[in-house]
Amino acid sequence: MAKRRTRKSDQRLARIRDALGEGRPHDALAEARQLLAARVRDAAVLNLAGIAAFQCGETEAAREFLEDAVKRAPKDAEIRMNLGNVLAASDEPGAALEAYAIAADSAPAYAEPAYNAGLLLAGRGRHMEAVGWLRDALDRDPEHAGAAIGHAEARRNAGDLAGARDALEAWIALHPDDPVAYTNLAAVLSGMGEDAAARDAAERAAGIDPGLAAAHFNIGVAQQGLGEHSAAIERYRRTLALEPGHAAASLNMGEAYTALGDDEAAAKAYRRALEIDPGFAKAAVNLADMALAAGDAETALSEIERFLSGTPSHPAALAFKAFALRDLGRNRDALQLDEPSRFIMQRPLPAPADFSDLNAFNAALAGHVLGHPTLTPSPVAHATRQGRHSGELLTEPLGPMDAFRREIEDAFRAYRRRFAGEPAHPFIDACPDDVAISVWGVVMDEDGHQVPHIHPAAWLSGVYYVEVPASIRDDDPDRAGWIEFGRPPDDIHARHDPAVTYFRPEPGLMLLFPSHFYHCTVPLKGKARRISIAFDVIKA
């Protein structure tokens, strides 16, 4: 009798698996619930019930099934990983990562837990942590295409363009017909300013898979970089035909039309991008800036306020609104958004406990930045010119960055306290409770500078000065090497004289400021280098 019951249960388990494999999760869940009601509560049934419930959108039920399954089979890596997937979907990243880590430890050859952990971290902007997990997944399964592509993409998003290129080229050497690898390589090469090589790589991808929208998009990006705007428009049109929801293709098409002087077509493209993605700030800013360029600041303000009504704290939109207000002569209203004395905080750092004095700390930081493998000369994807820019510094080996991270965390808490109890404000109200931190280094040589930019993915940004040459002086009328706030970039057509504020860098000085504050560096004079470490505080 017991054998007959077991055989019947096995048949029902097979039916559940078949239903899941055939895309019938509701049937699978009904069958699993019948088995569970018959007191067949083993881990395999609970696991399948959890998968089915998750696919049916019953997240809480999925979690209950899988937590019960974990209790009955605590060393089963697949069950633990499935629980991690449910926790990730429930916006519990810490618990999800813990589940993935346990699953990965339980099955050293199983790549999926590490892969899923990497995807979770990448999706939350924690790219260098994602690199580690995805590299681990690839070590476990060297043929895991998702891990290989994801690992390179995480490196690219962390600012390690050379590392991303190397990873993709290594994968392509083993898999020369992978179109996704070629198109991702094209994106990396465009970011490095190698547009001709980027076009070749993307064209290779499109040749392998003519229906791959991303390949046509990246051909367009490279063509735009080469000044081939008409050709780029055709590629973006092809991209949108293949993938009508590709908002970036519509945005780039608008910028290509702007370069060709066709404002009507550009505006149409920007509006289409916003129809696809109402939260696409770059499209809203470009559309509003067309009015600013035409001298119609009222329409520019109206356009950006329409966007802000749905996305009230986006850094790019807040910065543009302040420029439009100043073009209208409404300086007091603009200061509500970007008053330097209110929102920029100077914070001289003491020497961390691990170091004998501040000089020792700064020397350790300088050595770490200068020796970092991601330090790249003036990558076009960043604001640095005539200098070097690193990728993410909060990655092993941390060295002095461990102490520096603690200083950033303390500074963030102090900055947040400044505004406790303040009236409603679009910047202050967006202060995140849970944060992630991203850190990178900048080394400037003679004529080194940064062009005006903001950090649109963050809430709070900052810079710490590690090494400052003697040529940066209080009595220099040109303020060479100083940081400047308030000047719009060349692609924003504000007509007012910019309201700029300067700060002189000093070793040991940290500045914190809202991520919507445009800032740049006055070009450096002389041969001595200037080393700074910049950072973002991002909603986790």
Side-chain angles (χ1 to χ4, degrees):
M1 181 68 77
K3 286 184 179 179
R4 187 178 301 166
R5 270 200 305 270
T6 300
R7 191 159 50 247
K8 197 169 183 180
S9 296
D10 288 344
Q11 290 171 351
R12 296 182 75 175
L13 272 174
R15 286 204 296 271
I16 297 169
R17 291 192 184 96
D18 288 345
L20 286 171
E22 293 165 5
R24 297 184 288 111
H26 288 90
D27 293 344
L29 182 57
E31 185 83 32
R33 280 181 164 144
Q34 287 180 11
L35 260 180
L36 294 171
R39 300 179 184 273
V40 182
R41 298 192 64 83
D42 68 25
V45 179
L46 289 162
N47 181 43
L48 293 176
I51 295 170
F54 186 47
Q55 292 183 9
C56 291
E58 297 184 27
T59 305
E60 280 304 313
R63 180 172 182 165
E64 290 175 10
F65 288 137
L66 290 166
E67 286 177 341
D68 195 357
V70 163
K71 290 176 186 174
R72 297 167 189 274
K75 294 185 179 180
D76 189 305
E78 182 188 342
I79 294 172
R80 188 79 68 165
M81 183 192 70
N82 289 338
L83 176 59
N85 294 343
V86 172
L87 292 166
S90 302
D91 200 25
E92 297 184 42
L97 289 170
E98 182 180 358
Y100 291 142
I102 294 171
D105 287 344
S106 300
Y110 189 28
E112 294 308 306
Y115 175 61
N116 286 352
L119 294 184
L120 172 61
L121 288 162
R124 302 183 77 85
R126 296 161 63 179
H127 299 296
M128 279 311 293
E129 292 175 81
V131 166
W133 280 102
L134 292 164
R135 179 68 256 178
D136 181 34
L138 198 54
D139 288 342
R140 292 164 185 257
D141 179 3
E143 291 298 312
H144 196 303
I149 300 299
H151 167 246
E153 187 68 2
R155 285 200 176 277
R156 178 171 81 95
N157 288 324
D160 183 8
L161 298 180
R165 180 194 59 206
D166 291 347
L168 286 165
E169 288 178 345
W171 179 257
I172 287 168
L174 298 172
H175 303 85
D177 295 323
D178 186 335
V180 175
Y182 279 109
T183 196
N184 285 18
L185 178 61
V188 171
L189 292 168
S190 286
M192 300 176 81
E194 299 179 24
D195 292 304
R199 183 182 55 192
D200 291 346
E203 286 177 343
R204 177 71 184 270
I208 297 169
D209 182 358
L212 183 61
H216 296 284
F217 174 76
N218 283 333
I219 293 171
V221 171
Q223 288 171 330
Q224 250 180 307
L226 293 166
E228 301 168 3
H229 301 294
S230 296
I233 287 168
E234 293 309 311
R235 284 294 176 172
Y236 296 139
R237 191 169 284 122
R238 178 80 178 272
T239 303
L240 287 160
L242 291 165
E243 189 178 322
H246 202 303
S250 195
L251 170 85
N252 286 11
M253 182 183 287
E255 293 183 339
Y257 275 124
T258 296
L260 293 172
D262 190 341
D263 288 349
E264 183 178 348
K268 184 178 179 181
Y270 294 144
R271 291 197 188 280
R272 180 177 180 181
L274 285 167
E275 287 170 6
I276 296 169
D277 179 3
F280 199 171
K282 180 63 172 169
V285 168
N286 284 5
L287 187 60
D289 185 63
M290 292 181 70
L292 211 59
D296 187 356
E298 284 284 3
T299 298
L301 181 61
S302 176
E303 288 282 2
I304 207 64
E305 285 185 330
R306 184 180 298 117
F307 175 80
L308 284 166
S309 67
T311 313
S313 60
H314 195 285
L318 289 180
F320 185 90
K321 181 178 179 179
F323 294 141
L325 286 166
R326 285 195 172 86
D327 267 18
L328 289 167
R330 294 169 56 182
N331 293 338
R332 183 174 298 178
D333 291 336
L335 283 172
Q336 290 294 314
L337 297 174
D338 63 5
E339 184 175 2
S341 61
R342 182 182 182 197
F343 291 111
I344 300 176
M345 185 172 88
Q346 300 183 69
R347 185 178 172 87
L349 292 195
D354 312 2
F355 296 86
S356 58
D357 57 26
L358 192 62
N359 288 336
F361 181 49
N362 285 343
L365 289 173
H368 192 78
V369 170
L370 292 169
H372 205 269
T374 65
L375 197 63
T376 303
S378 302
V380 296
H382 297 289
T384 302
R385 305 290 182 266
Q386 297 296 110
R388 289 167 284 169
H389 191 292
S390 85
E392 180 61 59
L393 295 179
L394 291 184
T395 182
E396 296 293 347
L398 285 171
M401 298 310 302
D402 189 34
F404 188 70
R405 176 174 52 193
R406 293 194 297 271
E407 295 295 340
I408 297 172
E409 291 166 349
D410 287 346
F412 165 66
R413 287 188 286 268
Y415 190 91
R416 183 170 56 185
R417 285 194 297 271
R418 292 177 63 154
F419 301 105
E422 293 248 354
H425 186 282
F427 165 67
I428 298 168
D429 295 348
C431 179
D433 293 320
D434 298 318
V435 300
I437 295 171
S438 179
V439 183
W440 60 97
V442 176
V443 181
M444 290 184 183
D445 304 306
E446 187 173 16
D447 294 326
H449 62 285
Q450 289 194 316
V451 297
H453 65 287
I454 59 171
H455 300 187
W459 180 75
L460 183 71
S461 299
V463 61
Y464 175 74
Y465 296 103
V466 176
E467 187 176 299
V468 177
S471 61
I472 297 180
R473 308 187 315 270
D474 267 329
D475 62 352
D476 178 5
D478 296 327
R479 298 188 178 92
W482 291 37
I483 187 170
E484 176 191 283
F485 292 90
R487 186 179 303 278
D490 291 341
D491 60 356
I492 289 181
H493 296 88
R495 299 190 173 200
H496 62 273
D497 288 333
V500 297
T501 301
Y502 297 91
F503 291 87
R504 180 174 65 83
E506 301 176 51
L509 174 65
M510 178 183 284
L511 294 174
L512 297 104
F513 50 89
S515 298
H516 69 271
F517 274 35
Y518 270 96
H519 53 288
C520 61
T521 308
V522 181
L524 191 64
K525 292 179 181 176
K527 302 293 186 184
R529 69 189 175 204
R530 172 188 184 273
I531 301 176
S532 60
I533 298 178
F535 57 88
D536 279 339
V537 178
I538 307 161
K539 181 179 179 181

